[in-house]
Amino acid sequence: MSERKVLNKYYPPDFDPSKIPKLKLPKDRQYVVRLMAPFNMRCKTCGEYIYKGKKFNARKETVQNELYMGLPIFRFYIKCTRCLAEITFKTDPENTDYAMEHGATRNFQAEKLIEEEEKRIQQEREEEELNNPMKVLENRTKDSKLEMEVLENLQELKELNQRQAQVDFEGMIHQYREMEKREREREKDEDERETKEMLERALVKRLRDSDSESEKEEEGSSSKAKKSSTDKPTDILTIDKPTETQGATAAGVKRAKTESWERSVGTLGGGGALGSLVVRKKPTTAINKPSPVATTSTAASKASVIADFTKATKTPTTQNGSSSLSLLGAYSDSDSNDSE
């Protein structure tokens, strides 16, 4: 890549630099440069603050008829960021700084102003001493007086330090320890007094509780004695029987609970042809041995059932007859089992 970055230029053999026309440019011509504000400033027109480091597109020119030890001085033109007023400042190679010229005031330069004032006073004094010997004598007497005052102040400071050095630090530490000891003892006495008061209050409360409990026990024992004295051994005979036995006897009187199949039988009705074939089941609580009256009633009921069945079946066939006879036989068997 180095062969592509050639800085030398080709000059032909017949090149004559005297034939090149020279540009006639003015000496005070201006260039546009990019710079930053060298110090803090405030615009005089609108009061806008422009801080150090703010970038501007400035115009640069060389100051005519001003040199410092052969060094040229440059002037810069910028515009306020708010009101666009023109502000100018130039270089100051003597103080290696910049000097405000027009359109704004420089801020935060109190220290610089003090230094400049000191330098000015020193220069004036040197000039006066150079031409006036009496002024030199006066300045020496002033310097001697100032030096004596400084020595006196220094002596006073030394005496103060010696007085502080004579302080008995051990005695101060001992007094501080004694004070701490007394403080601890006082706190300890207060703690003991508080604990004693708390114990006394707890003891009084306990005594009161024990007295109240003993009074309650005495009242309970007296009530029990009174109750036992009023009770008699024969009172048990006059006490009513419990309600459980009464409920048991009342339950026996109540009607026996009807079964679910007994409730469903009533829906068949007795007006139909087969209504006489259905017989309700007797309750299990009935007497085991049937009476002669019951046997006669069952026989009569059987006869009536057979008669009704024969009326219902007018001309039964052989098969129907056999089936009906078997049904009657089974019915009779069931009746016999029920009677047993």
Side-chain angles (χ1 to χ4, degrees):
M1 298 294 289
S2 61
E3 67 273 6
R4 297 179 60 188
K5 297 180 181 180
V6 179
L7 301 177
N8 297 326
K9 295 185 179 183
Y10 174 72
Y11 294 99
D14 57 348
F15 176 73
D16 188 5
S18 61
K19 295 181 180 180
I20 299 174
K22 294 183 179 180
L23 296 175
K24 294 181 180 179
L25 298 175
K27 295 183 179 179
D28 57 346
R29 65 181 180 275
Q30 296 180 351
Y31 303 91
V32 177
V33 295
R34 183 77 171 174
L35 59 80
M36 291 188 291
F39 46 78
N40 297 305
M41 65 184 80
R42 186 181 182 185
C43 179
K44 289 182 178 180
T45 307
C46 62
E48 178 71 11
Y49 285 96
I50 300 172
Y51 297 98
K52 183 179 180 179
K54 181 77 174 174
K55 290 184 178 181
F56 293 94
N57 291 325
R59 290 180 290 113
K60 172 188 172 185
E61 69 177 8
T62 304
V63 180
Q64 298 297 323
N65 303 323
E66 286 189 22
L67 293 173
Y68 176 74
M69 298 179 69
L71 297 175
I73 296 173
F74 301 101
R75 182 181 288 113
F76 300 94
Y77 298 88
I78 62 173
K79 290 185 179 181
C80 176
T81 56
R82 185 177 179 183
C83 64
L84 300 178
E86 192 173 57
I87 300 171
T88 61
F89 57 89
K90 59 183 180 179
T91 57
D92 186 9
E94 183 179 359
N95 299 317
T96 62
D97 197 2
Y98 290 86
M100 176 58 65
E101 193 173 21
H102 174 72
T105 56
R106 186 170 179 175
N107 299 333
F108 308 112
Q109 57 176 354
E111 186 176 355
K112 183 179 179 181
L113 293 175
I114 291 171
E115 291 178 356
E116 290 178 355
E117 187 67 20
E118 289 178 353
K119 288 181 180 179
R120 186 180 62 78
I121 292 170
Q122 185 68 22
Q123 289 177 0
E124 289 178 356
R125 181 177 179 180
E126 290 177 357
E127 289 176 359
E128 288 178 357
E129 290 179 356
L130 183 62
N131 298 324
N132 190 359
M134 294 298 296
K135 194 69 176 177
V136 174
L137 184 59
E138 291 177 359
N139 292 335
R140 287 180 181 177
T141 53
K142 287 181 180 178
D143 293 338
S144 62
K145 288 181 179 180
L146 182 62
E147 187 177 357
M148 292 295 292
E149 290 178 358
V150 170
L151 291 174
E152 289 178 358
N153 293 331
L154 183 61
Q155 188 66 26
E156 288 179 359
L157 291 174
K158 288 181 178 180
E159 290 178 357
L160 289 174
N161 291 332
Q162 290 178 358
R163 290 175 187 175
Q164 292 180 357
Q166 292 178 357
V167 174
D168 188 7
F169 292 103
E170 294 294 333
M172 293 175 64
I173 293 170
H174 181 70
Q175 291 179 1
Y176 181 71
R177 288 177 180 175
E178 290 291 335
M179 185 173 65
E180 284 186 346
K181 186 176 179 181
R182 289 195 299 271
E183 188 68 21
R184 284 197 299 268
E185 290 177 355
R186 186 180 61 80
E187 290 177 356
K188 187 176 180 181
D189 294 338
E190 288 181 356
D191 294 339
E192 289 179 356
R193 182 173 54 79
E194 289 179 358
T195 52
K196 188 176 180 181
E197 290 178 356
M198 291 172 66
L199 290 173
E200 288 178 356
R201 286 197 295 269
L203 181 60
V204 171
K205 186 177 180 181
R206 191 179 298 172
L207 291 174
R208 289 177 180 175
D209 294 340
S210 61
D211 293 339
S212 59
E213 289 177 359
S214 62
E215 289 176 359
K216 289 180 181 179
E217 289 178 358
E218 289 177 359
E219 290 177 358
S221 61
S222 61
S223 62
K224 287 181 180 179
K226 290 179 181 179
K227 187 175 181 181
S228 62
S229 63
T230 54
D231 294 339
K232 295 180 181 180
T234 58
D235 290 342
I236 194 170
L237 300 175
T238 60
I239 297 172
D240 296 336
K241 294 182 180 180
T243 58
E244 295 179 356
T245 57
Q246 294 177 3
T249 56
V253 178
K254 289 182 180 179
R255 185 179 177 180
K257 184 180 180 182
T258 57
E259 298 295 337
S260 61
W261 64 273
E262 290 179 353
R263 292 195 299 273
S264 64
V265 168
T267 60
L268 295 175
L274 299 178
S276 60
L277 296 176
V278 179
V279 180
R280 292 184 178 181
K281 186 177 180 181
K282 295 179 181 181
T284 55
T285 58
I287 303 171
N288 293 329
K289 293 182 180 182
S291 62
V293 179
T295 54
T296 56
S297 63
T298 54
S301 64
K302 287 179 182 180
S304 63
V305 169
I306 292 167
D308 294 334
F309 186 77
T310 53
K311 289 178 182 179
T313 58
K314 294 180 181 180
T315 56
T317 59
T318 57
Q319 292 180 359
N320 293 332
S322 63
S323 63
S324 63
L325 292 173
S326 63
L327 181 60
L328 290 172
Y331 183 75
S332 62
D333 292 336
S334 65
D335 290 341
S336 64
N337 291 330
D338 292 337
S339 64
E340 289 176 357

